[in-house]
Amino acid sequence: MSNPQTSPRRVGVIGLGAMGAGIAQSLRRAGHEVHAYDIRPGAAAAFAAEGGAACASLADMAAACGIVISVVVNAQQTEAVLYGEGGIAAAMRPGSVFVMCSTVDPNWSIAQEARLQEQGILYLDAPISGGAARAASGEMTMMTAGRPAAYEACDGVLESMAGKVYRLGDRAGAGSKVKIINQLLAGVHIAAAAEAMALGLREGVDADALYEVITHSAGNSWMFENRMPHVLAGDYTPLSAVDIFVKDLGLVLDTARHARFPLPLASTAHQMFMQASAAGHGREDDSAVIKIFPGISLPEPK
């Protein structure tokens, strides 16, 4: 949510997907001068047409902005943004801050803070949650960790793009650890919601009535309430895809494996998303995990 006491800043946003576009809109609405870059030229041009600024290259963004917010899919894409051909790390001025909003291995995030520090660049470990609608309204959640100087450099900016900004540590890593735990729950809850709806369909229960009852009963979850309408509508247009949870639950299990910690529910949910992806549903909405269940007739598109 916007902070009216904060003076406008020049902020760069890399990645204008579902979350990044909303973040850029929220920052601009709060009065910041927002520069955007996306590998799809049309996405940045559309943002510029709404009053923002489009950057032709990452170097252009580094020259214009002391704060750069990266909202790409994963660690691999973040590394390409930072260190690939024309990467932004080589062009950012000392004292600039790179805000990393992707879901990544916490140890990877810790390593990026150290690597950028060698170049005099500040780093904020800042995964996000809440979905596209909350990103667009400035009401998403940020799970952040970083050095005090990084927070100082971002003063007021984080509050302009999120309703909740949690400061979880004075070094990178804690933000990504909390996001990993959030994704454990999110993935398990979606898988459980799909399993429950699938059983209802198999038993001949009216799907709309089941949804109405569960969302007013103790068995409800945010994910059941949010995702099962996609199933009821027969609409698997991806807001968050099956393959996102193949990745994220994989990160959850990798983290636990390093600690020799058992995660039986997360392991099962990961296999369910893997099965859905292997069946060709990886780019569909994550609610499409329900398609792995045999012997059910799913609602047709309305």
Side-chain angles (χ1 to χ4, degrees):
M1 309 201 41
S2 62
N3 182 350
Q5 297 179 340
T6 301
S7 56
R9 312 284 291 280
R10 282 188 176 183
V11 184
V13 177
I14 302 172
L16 294 176
M19 298 293 283
I23 287 169
Q25 292 166 7
S26 294
L27 289 167
R28 191 170 64 81
R29 190 170 57 248
H32 300 291
E33 182 182 329
V34 183
H35 297 245
Y37 175 84
D38 194 283
I39 57 172
R40 304 162 299 160
F47 178 68
E50 296 174 353
C55 293
S57 69
L58 293 172
D60 288 347
M61 179 174 288
C65 305
I67 301 169
V68 174
I69 300 165
S70 175
V71 200
V72 297
V73 172
N74 54 26
Q76 182 180 8
Q77 289 189 7
T78 308
E79 284 196 11
V81 161
L82 281 167
Y83 315 115
E85 185 177 352
I88 200 166
M92 291 180 74
R93 298 184 300 273
S96 299
V97 58
F98 185 82
V99 182
M100 194 291 302
C101 294
S102 304
T103 302
V104 300
D105 182 324
N107 291 319
W108 179 91
S109 191
I110 292 167
Q112 301 323 300
E113 181 183 57
R115 185 172 177 179
L116 291 175
Q117 186 180 13
E118 292 176 357
Q119 300 177 228
I121 299 170
L122 299 167
Y123 176 87
L124 206 60
D125 177 34
I128 54 180
S129 183
R134 289 184 182 178
S137 64
E139 296 175 325
M140 67 178 189
T141 296
M142 297 190 78
M143 296 156 247
T144 71
R147 297 177 184 274
Y151 284 111
E152 185 177 351
C154 291
D155 184 41
V157 171
L158 304 182
E159 291 76 12
S160 294
M161 56 192 267
K164 295 284 188 181
V165 179
Y166 292 100
R167 298 190 177 195
L168 302 166
D170 61 3
R171 296 292 187 274
S176 286
K177 289 178 181 180
V178 172
K179 179 61 188 292
I180 288 290
I181 295 166
N182 180 78
Q183 294 308 90
L184 182 162
L185 289 165
V188 168
H189 289 175
I190 293 169
E195 183 171 283
M197 182 61 74
L199 177 61
L201 292 170
R202 182 61 183 258
E203 291 299 308
V205 175
D206 179 82
D208 291 298
L210 178 61
Y211 178 80
E212 176 68 16
V213 171
I214 295 300
T215 55
H216 291 86
S217 300
N220 191 33
S221 68
W222 191 91
M223 284 300 188
F224 185 96
E225 190 164 347
N226 184 266
R227 296 305 205 265
M228 289 305 100
H230 305 173
V231 174
L232 297 178
D235 184 0
Y236 299 95
T237 303
L239 298 179
S240 174
V242 164
D243 278 346
I244 293 293
F245 276 98
V246 171
K247 172 185 77 76
D248 287 1
L249 285 173
L251 290 172
V252 169
L253 295 174
D254 286 345
T255 300
R257 189 177 300 112
H258 292 152
R260 296 182 179 272
F261 193 79
L263 295 178
L265 294 180
S267 299
T268 299
H270 187 238
Q271 287 297 308
M272 291 169 67
F273 285 104
M274 287 277 282
Q275 185 176 346
S277 183
H281 307 304
R283 295 187 177 181
E284 297 179 35
D285 186 77
D286 51 33
S287 60
V289 71
I290 197 172
K291 294 183 179 182
I292 69 171
F293 291 96
I296 61 173
S297 297
L298 293 169
E300 296 293 330
K302 295 180 180 178

